[in-house]
């Protein structure tokens, strides 16, 4: 019933917020260009930042690419459905508006039953960025989506809290090479171990010149400080002087998957009474971790969300 309703709402010109295992997406079928335009408008997202296309199978992915290479096949076979987006050359079915004029498209096969059914019923790829306003914190619960978008513009498919909690890992397959464009909870090590492919890192400086590589992103409504080491009393005093008020410290567990699942919920939560900034303290998490690469995605998001990072 809700999926039927979501599809009829598209017919009325609304977008649909879809639950995925990573974050909620702001979705429209790729053949509805007016609705795709509305994604950029409502999100206040610049047209140079391309959208990824969600599919339910490798068969469906092949419709949207002109070159399904050996590398793409291996990646999809191992990690789909799941939180890995694969950037490949696009087919004619994917409009330039979606890819911001690039000749490549990011394809992702989400692991969430409701959204899979939605895409299957439409029998069309669904373009969806995260369902937040541009540069703001991504939503991992339907109430986060509602903070940003009105019911008259966006129908929400309720799917409960997202189980992974940060956006998909993005890799680009280019001339037999696999480049990591955005770290996520599927790490470069996981990819190398499962597929035997070598993953190359893209120079962060170059990446900040590419769409979506912006330095400021995922920002909450208050100043956020990320610290990777234990702060002294003097450090805290200096911060309080800088921000002219009290700070609220949040400490995390040592399990990366658990932290990823909770992190955006913590950023969405308002400040405690009397505090005017938040400190995310990852010092203990980082001290005891053994699988360092598992934290890459979390640190990448927090470094962009924070206005100050203490190493
Ligand atoms: O987990 C996710 O990936 C979520 C859920 C909803 O699927 N989606 C998501 O979309 O995070 P978005 O738009 O917030 O982030 C996708 C990123 C953007 O930074 C965009 O610039 C980049 O992917 N991207 C999309 N297509 C690309 C392409 N052809 N080449 C390089 N980067 C691309
Ligand atoms: Mg986003």
């Amino acid at each position: 019933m809700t999926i039927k309703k979501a599809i009829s709402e598209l017919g009325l010109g609304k977008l649909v917020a879809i639950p995925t295992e990573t974050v909620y997406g702001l979705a429209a079928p790729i053949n509805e260009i007016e609705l795709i335009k509305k994604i950029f408008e409502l999100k206040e997202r610049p047209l140079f930042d391309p959208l990824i296309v969600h599919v339910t199978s490798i068969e469906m992915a092949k419709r949207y690419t002109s070159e399904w290479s050996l590398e793409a096949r291996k990646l999809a076979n191992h990690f789909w459905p799941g939180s890995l987006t694969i950037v490949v050359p696009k087919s004619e079915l994917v409009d330039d508006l979606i890819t911001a004029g690039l000749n490549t498209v990011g394809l992702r096969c989400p692991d969430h039953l409701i959204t899979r059914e939605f895409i299957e019923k439409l029998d069309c790829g669904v373009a969806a960025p995260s369902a937040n306003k541009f540069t703001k914190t991504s939503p991992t619960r339907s109430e986060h989506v509602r903070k940003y978008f009105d019911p008259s513009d966006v129908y929400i498919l309720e799917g409960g809290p997202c189980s992974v909690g940060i956006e998909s890992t993005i890799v680009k397959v280019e001339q037999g090479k696999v480049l990591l464009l955005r770290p996520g909870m599927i790490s470069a090590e996981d990819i190398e171990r499962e597929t035997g492919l070598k993953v190359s890192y893209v120079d962060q400086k170059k990446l900040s010149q590419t769409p979506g590589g912006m330095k400021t992103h995922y920002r909450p409504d208050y100043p956020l400080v990320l610290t990777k080491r234990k702060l002294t009393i003097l450090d805290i005093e200096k911060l309080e002087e800088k921000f002219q008020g009290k700070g609220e410290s949040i400490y995390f567990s040592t399990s990366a998957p658990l932290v990823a699942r909770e992190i955006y919920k913590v950023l969405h939560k308002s400040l405690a009474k009397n505090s005017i900034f938040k400190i995310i303290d990852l010092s203990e998490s980082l001290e005891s971790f053994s699988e360092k690469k598992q934290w890459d995605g979390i640190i990448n998001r927090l470094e962009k969300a924070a206005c100050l990072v203490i190493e």
Side-chain angles (χ1 to χ4, degrees), residues 43 130 132 217:
K43 206 179 141 81
S130 50
N132 49 280
H217 210 146

Side-chain angles (χ1 to χ4, degrees), residues 170-187:
I170 304 183
V171 290
K172 182 174 184 180
V173 178
E174 198 175 52
Q175 295 163 349
K177 279 198 175 153
V178 181
L179 305 173
L180 183 73
L181 299 188
R182 179 174 73 184
M185 294 313 287
I186 293 177
S187 69

Side-chain angles (χ1 to χ4, degrees), residues 20 22-25 45 49-52 54 85 87 102 104-106 108 128-130 167-168 170 181-182 211-212:
T20 82
T22 59
V23 300
Y24 276 73
R45 177 169 171 134
D49 195 357
L51 307 178
I52 61 182
H54 297 68
T85 297
V87 175
L102 299 175
T104 55
V105 61
R108 163 156 141 72
S130 50
E167 299 84 349
S168 60
I170 304 183
L181 299 188
R182 179 174 73 184

